Amino acid sequence: MEAQARHSTRLISLVVPFYNESAVIEDFFHAVPPVLASIERVDYEIVCVNDGSKDDTLALLCAAAHTDSRIRVVDLSRNFGKEAAMTAGIDIAKGDAVIPFDADLQDPPELIPELVRKWQEGFDVVIARRIERSSDTYAKRLTAALFYRFHNAIADVKIPENAGDFRLMARQVVDELKRLPESRRFMKGLFAWVGFTQTYVDYVRQPRVAGKTKFSGWRLWNFALEGVTSFSTLPLRVWTYLGTVSALVSMLYAIYLVARTVVHGRDLPGYASIITAVLFLGGIQLIGIGVIGEYIGRIYIESKRRPVYVIRHVFQKPEKS
């Protein structure tokens, strides 16, 4: 009977990156553990990853871990970024299923039992999909929609629209993610790349309970650029086509000049047209070099094979024997 009970109880790992989130920690631990504890035939752990916070986030997380052995705190040696912090938590998580989750509670924890239910029905990946995002600014909603459409139009791996990191992944999916060797990690793309059977649970995104978002417009732009260059080489191929078109247009224009000279005699070309053509083609070349540079930069970083993160310490209250 005891062996059967252990077999029927499965472990869920909630992976939560924290970066300067001291303002939300009390609300987080007030809201999340009761939801996890309410799920039948499921035990849980909360893997909190401190991503080099400069406030008292680490101290607050350790205080929570000292009161509950199901809370583990992974302290990274510095700020590596959310994607690296999430990778660290997923690597350390022991659960039969793993759920990446944001500390700001914009994704409602009350949705977790529904994700678990879909997993228990046999789905390997259960994606939480935002059907309403009025809590985000109009600019953020617009740019997010444009990014998803652009990315999915040029990339072989399609990312579900209006889906963030909040999802449930079965252990087999997590094990495959851990095999991927990338140093520069775009997790939404990697989640989609591994595949497996998927389903969706819709929800309404909530405002942050406290604090401010850590993603500025510039960071979001770089994040989008990371996603495009991680899963598509079309930006490189575009310059082949653009160069071919430019060469054909130049050849046709040269033929036109020769014909005009033969018919009408020699004339003096205009300075304005020359400088316009030179600046235009020079600008195109510089943009092309920049795109190539983005990909070369990725090759350079990946070739070093540095670890995605460095762990300074792991805090956990010992379980009672």
Side-chain angles (χ1 to χ4, degrees):
M1 287 291 293
E2 184 179 352
Q4 184 178 357
R6 283 199 303 268
H7 179 72
S8 61
T9 301
R10 307 176 81 177
L11 179 65
I12 300 295
S13 297
L14 198 71
V15 173
V16 192
F18 287 83
Y19 177 63
N20 294 340
E21 294 286 9
S22 59
V24 306
I25 289 177
E26 182 178 354
D27 291 310
F28 176 85
F29 285 112
H30 178 74
V32 174
V35 173
L36 296 174
S38 69
I39 306 174
E40 295 182 359
R41 293 180 303 170
V42 166
D43 199 0
Y44 71 89
E45 66 170 357
I46 303 176
V47 181
C48 304
V49 184
N50 177 49
D51 188 23
S53 298
K54 296 178 174 60
D55 59 5
D56 58 347
T57 293
L58 178 60
L60 294 173
L61 291 176
C62 289
H66 283 309
T67 64
D68 191 341
S69 62
R70 290 171 294 189
I71 299 173
R72 282 195 290 164
V73 180
V74 180
D75 183 30
L76 302 186
S77 62
R78 64 172 177 84
N79 177 243
F80 286 89
K82 182 182 177 181
E83 307 296 283
M86 195 187 310
T87 300
I90 290 173
D91 288 348
I92 287 176
K94 300 176 181 178
D96 299 298
V98 175
I99 304 175
F101 192 75
D102 288 342
D104 56 20
L105 299 180
Q106 284 193 277
D107 301 326
E110 293 77 17
L111 200 68
I112 295 175
E114 180 65 15
L115 301 183
V116 173
R117 186 179 69 80
K118 292 287 186 181
W119 168 56
Q120 291 171 337
E121 290 177 1
F123 291 99
D124 299 311
V125 179
V126 186
I127 301 171
R129 180 169 54 189
R130 306 157 183 166
I131 58 173
E132 203 274 323
R133 301 180 59 174
S134 59
S135 60
D136 295 332
T137 64
Y138 173 76
K140 186 173 182 180
R141 295 197 303 270
L142 177 62
T143 53
L146 291 174
F147 166 73
Y148 283 119
R149 291 175 186 173
F150 179 71
H151 181 279
N152 290 340
I154 68 173
D156 295 330
V157 177
K158 310 302 181 185
I159 300 176
E161 292 191 28
N162 292 317
D165 299 318
F166 184 27
R167 66 192 65 205
L168 182 146
M169 298 175 291
R171 170 49 55 182
Q172 185 180 4
V173 181
V174 173
D175 289 341
E176 293 303 321
L177 276 173
K178 292 168 67 173
R179 291 178 56 224
L180 301 181
E182 284 95 332
S183 298
R184 298 280 293 271
R185 302 175 73 82
F186 179 65
M187 296 304 291
K188 291 182 181 66
L190 297 181
F191 292 154
W193 185 89
V194 294
F196 293 92
T197 57
Q198 301 181 356
T199 190
Y200 297 89
V201 174
D202 295 334
Y203 73 102
V204 176
R205 188 165 170 83
Q206 304 296 318
R208 286 179 62 96
V209 294
K212 296 180 180 180
T213 179
K214 308 304 183 295
F215 281 92
S216 63
W218 179 247
R219 289 190 67 184
L220 287 173
W221 164 257
N222 287 328
F223 187 62
L225 194 62
E226 189 78 24
V228 170
T229 55
S230 293
F231 288 92
S232 176
T233 58
L234 183 62
L236 288 174
R237 294 199 301 270
V238 162
W239 297 104
T240 301
Y241 305 140
L242 187 58
T244 301
V245 171
S246 299
L248 289 175
V249 171
S250 301
M251 186 179 300
L252 293 174
Y253 186 60
I255 293 172
Y256 164 74
L257 291 178
V258 170
R260 191 181 66 172
T261 301
V262 170
V263 175
H264 299 288
R266 185 179 180 185
D267 62 349
L268 181 65
Y271 172 80
S273 60
I274 292 176
I275 196 66
T276 300
V278 169
L279 291 177
F280 175 72
L281 292 175
I284 288 179
Q285 290 170 348
L286 289 175
I287 294 172
I289 291 171
V291 172
I292 295 172
E294 284 289 334
Y295 284 90
I296 293 176
R298 291 188 62 84
I299 296 170
Y300 172 67
I301 292 172
E302 294 291 342
S303 67
K304 294 182 178 182
R305 308 311 307 150
R306 290 175 179 169
V308 179
Y309 55 85
V310 176
I311 294 176
R312 189 174 72 90
H313 197 72
V314 177
F315 302 88
Q316 183 176 21
K317 178 183 177 181
E319 295 185 10
K320 294 180 179 180
S321 55

